[in-house]
Amino acid sequence: MTGALSVLFSANGLPDLPIILVEPHRNREGVWRIKFCYADGEPLSMSSIQASALACDLHQMGETQLADEIDDAVKSAKRYCSM
């Protein structure tokens, strides 16, 4: 992971670990969030708004694969929220 990615992840409350899965997740309060899963460590989640901003930053850095995964999870969360 590059230094810029480490800084971006840290600024968003994410660890400097490889992300193995990004998915929508409904918390105990019924709010849809975006969950980041790691091979080592507990999954972490953030609001869809924060995740969208993170994806935008990742796109600007050329990290399109991860950015697209986050965008897809956000779209799914929005769809689930409207059901």
Side-chain angles (χ1 to χ4, degrees), residues 13-79:
L14 300 175
D16 189 9
L17 296 171
I19 298 169
I20 59 170
L21 179 67
V22 179
E23 64 182 353
H25 167 75
R26 193 163 80 181
N27 68 13
R28 292 180 185 157
E29 292 80 31
V31 176
W32 284 97
R33 296 175 58 84
I34 307 306
K35 181 168 69 171
F36 295 82
C37 300
Y38 305 90
D40 298 326
E42 292 293 314
L44 298 171
S45 70
M46 65 178 60
S47 72
S48 293
I49 294 169
Q50 182 181 0
S52 290
L54 174 60
C56 182
D57 291 340
L58 289 167
H59 276 296
Q60 291 175 354
M61 295 173 70
E63 296 289 336
T64 55
Q65 182 178 354
L66 180 55
D68 289 345
E69 289 179 40
I70 295 169
D71 284 335
D72 289 344
V74 169
K75 288 176 191 168
S76 293
K78 287 180 181 177
R79 186 174 68 246

Side-chain angles (χ1 to χ4, degrees), residues 1-19:
M1 191 169 300
T2 68
L5 276 178
S6 295
V7 170
L8 180 60
F9 286 164
S10 178
N12 282 278
L14 300 175
D16 189 9
L17 296 171
I19 298 169

